[in-house]
C-alpha cells in the first residue's frame, strides 16, 4: 500500500464541448470533481501532472487535489481512455473523507506454484478483480491468494480463501469462485483443405475433328 501522499494541481475550467479539442492540443486534460451534496466542478490539468498522479494512485489510492488554494481529498472514479492511442481523454474525481469508507476495485493476484500445474493440469482464474470497501488509509494495491493447495481437477479457490488486510471488506459473496483446476483440452489440429480436383474440360468440336483427321 502506498503511504506517500499523491498531490495534483488543477485549475477551474470554463471550456466545454467543442472547445475541449483546443484544450487538449495545449497539453491539458479536462476533468470533473464530484462533490457529495454539492455541484460538480469542471477542472483541467496538464497531461504530465495527471498522468503522473494516476500512475501513482490509480483508482485505489487518494489524490489530494489543489484547486484555488484549497485542498480536497479525492479518488479517481472514472477514466476515459482513447481506444486508438490509449491516451487519457477525461478523468472523473470523487471527493472523499479520511474518516469515511470508500468503495473501489482492486485486482486479485494468484501467488505461488500450484502442484496441479506441475502435473499438467490448468489453473484457470475466473475472477481477476473485486470491489472492496475501506477507509482511504487502508486501501490496498491488490489482494493476493496462494494457489499452492491446488492439487487436482476440481480443486478451487473462493473469496473466503483470500486473506483480507485489516480494515478491508470484500463486497461480494464469499462463495464466489476465484480460480479452479481444470483438465487441459487439446484442440484438434485442422487438416489442410485438399485442393479441388481439376475437371478436364470438354474438347471443342473443332479440335475433335482435327484429331480424327
Amino acid at each position: 500500500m502506498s503511504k506517500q501522499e499523491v498531490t495534483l494541481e488543477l485549475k477551474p475550467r470554463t471550456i466545454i464541448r467543442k472547445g475541449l479539442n483546443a484544450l487538449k492540443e495545449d497539453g491539458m486534460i479536462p476533468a470533473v470533481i464530484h462533490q457529495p451534496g454539492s455541484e460538480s466542478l469542471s477542472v483541467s490539468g496538464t497531461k504530465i501532472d495527471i498522468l503522473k498522479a494516476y500512475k501513482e494512485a490509480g483508482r485505489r489510492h487518494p489524490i489530494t487535489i489543489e484547486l484555488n488554494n484549497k485542498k480536497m481529498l479525492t479518488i479517481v472514479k472514472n477514466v476515459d481512455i482513447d481506444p486508438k492511442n490509449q491516451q487519457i481523454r477525461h478523468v472523473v474525481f470523487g471527493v472523499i473523507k479520511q474518516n469515511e469508507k470508500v468503495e473501489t476495485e482492486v485486482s486479485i493476484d494468484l501467488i505461488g506454484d500450484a502442484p496441479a500445474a506441475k502435473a499438467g493440469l490448468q489453473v484457470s482464474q475466473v475472477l481477476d478483480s473485486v470491489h472492496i470497501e475501506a477507509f482511504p488509509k487502508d486501501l490496498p494495491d491488490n489482494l493476493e491468494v496462494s494457489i499452492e493447495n491446488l492439487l487436482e481437477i476440481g480443486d478451487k479457490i473462493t473469496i473466503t480463501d483470500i486473506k483480507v488486510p485489516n480494515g478491508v471488506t470484500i463486497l461480494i459473496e464469499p462463495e464466489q469462485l476465484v480460480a479452479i483446476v481444470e483438465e487441459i483440452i487439446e484442440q484438434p489440429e485442422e487438416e489442410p483443405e485438399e485442393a479441388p480436383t481439376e475437371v478436364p474440360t470438354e474438347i471443342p468440336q473443332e479440335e475433335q475433328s482435327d484429331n480424327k483427321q
Side-chain angles (χ1 to χ4, degrees):
M1 186 187 314
S2 175
K3 297 295 184 180
Q4 184 177 357
E5 181 183 17
V6 180
T7 61
L8 173 63
E9 183 178 356
L10 299 178
K11 297 180 179 180
R13 171 172 59 89
T14 57
I15 300 175
I16 60 174
R17 298 180 183 175
K18 295 182 179 180
L20 291 179
N21 289 332
L23 186 73
K24 295 174 183 177
E25 290 176 358
D26 289 336
M28 305 292 286
I29 293 179
V32 171
I33 302 175
H34 286 171
Q35 305 179 100
S38 300
E39 187 177 353
S40 297
L41 303 174
S42 296
V43 295
S44 65
T46 67
K47 181 184 297 186
I48 294 176
D49 289 344
I50 288 182
L51 289 178
K52 180 181 178 182
Y54 183 64
K55 183 178 180 180
E56 293 177 354
R59 299 179 65 172
R60 299 174 297 277
H61 296 299
I63 298 176
T64 300
I65 290 180
E66 298 179 358
L67 178 67
N68 290 337
N69 297 320
K70 179 183 177 181
K71 292 185 178 181
M72 55 185 73
L73 192 65
T74 70
I75 195 168
V76 174
K77 292 293 186 180
N78 186 50
V79 178
D80 179 28
I81 298 178
D82 191 326
K84 295 181 179 179
N85 54 28
Q86 298 301 306
Q87 295 295 315
I88 294 179
R89 297 187 294 197
H90 188 273
V91 184
V92 176
F93 299 93
V95 173
I96 59 176
K97 296 180 180 180
Q98 286 286 12
N99 60 351
E100 292 183 0
K101 291 186 176 181
V102 296
E103 295 182 14
T104 188
E105 185 176 1
V106 297
S107 62
I108 299 176
D109 294 343
L110 306 182
I111 61 173
D113 296 320
K118 295 181 179 179
L121 299 174
Q122 177 173 305
V123 178
S124 301
Q125 185 168 359
V126 179
L127 190 68
D128 55 13
S129 64
V130 65
H131 278 83
I132 64 171
E133 181 183 62
F135 289 111
K137 66 180 181 63
D138 295 327
L139 291 173
D141 288 317
N142 61 340
L143 296 177
E144 296 181 344
V145 59
S146 173
I147 59 174
E148 295 180 351
N149 291 329
L150 298 181
L151 304 175
E152 56 189 24
I153 295 175
D155 285 355
K156 60 185 179 181
I157 292 173
T158 63
I159 292 296
T160 56
D161 298 311
I162 299 177
K163 293 182 178 180
V164 184
N166 291 333
V168 177
T169 302
I170 297 179
L171 303 177
I172 194 173
E173 295 296 328
E175 298 81 14
Q176 176 67 45
L177 185 65
V178 175
I180 189 169
V181 178
E182 300 175 315
E183 183 179 2
I184 297 178
I185 300 178
E186 297 183 359
Q187 298 293 333
E189 295 183 3
E190 296 184 0
E191 297 182 0
E193 295 184 1
E194 295 183 1
T197 305
E198 293 186 2
V199 179
T201 56
E202 295 183 2
I203 302 176
Q205 290 294 330
E206 294 181 359
E207 293 187 11
Q208 291 182 13
S209 301
D210 293 342
N211 290 335
K212 292 180 180 179
Q213 293 178 358

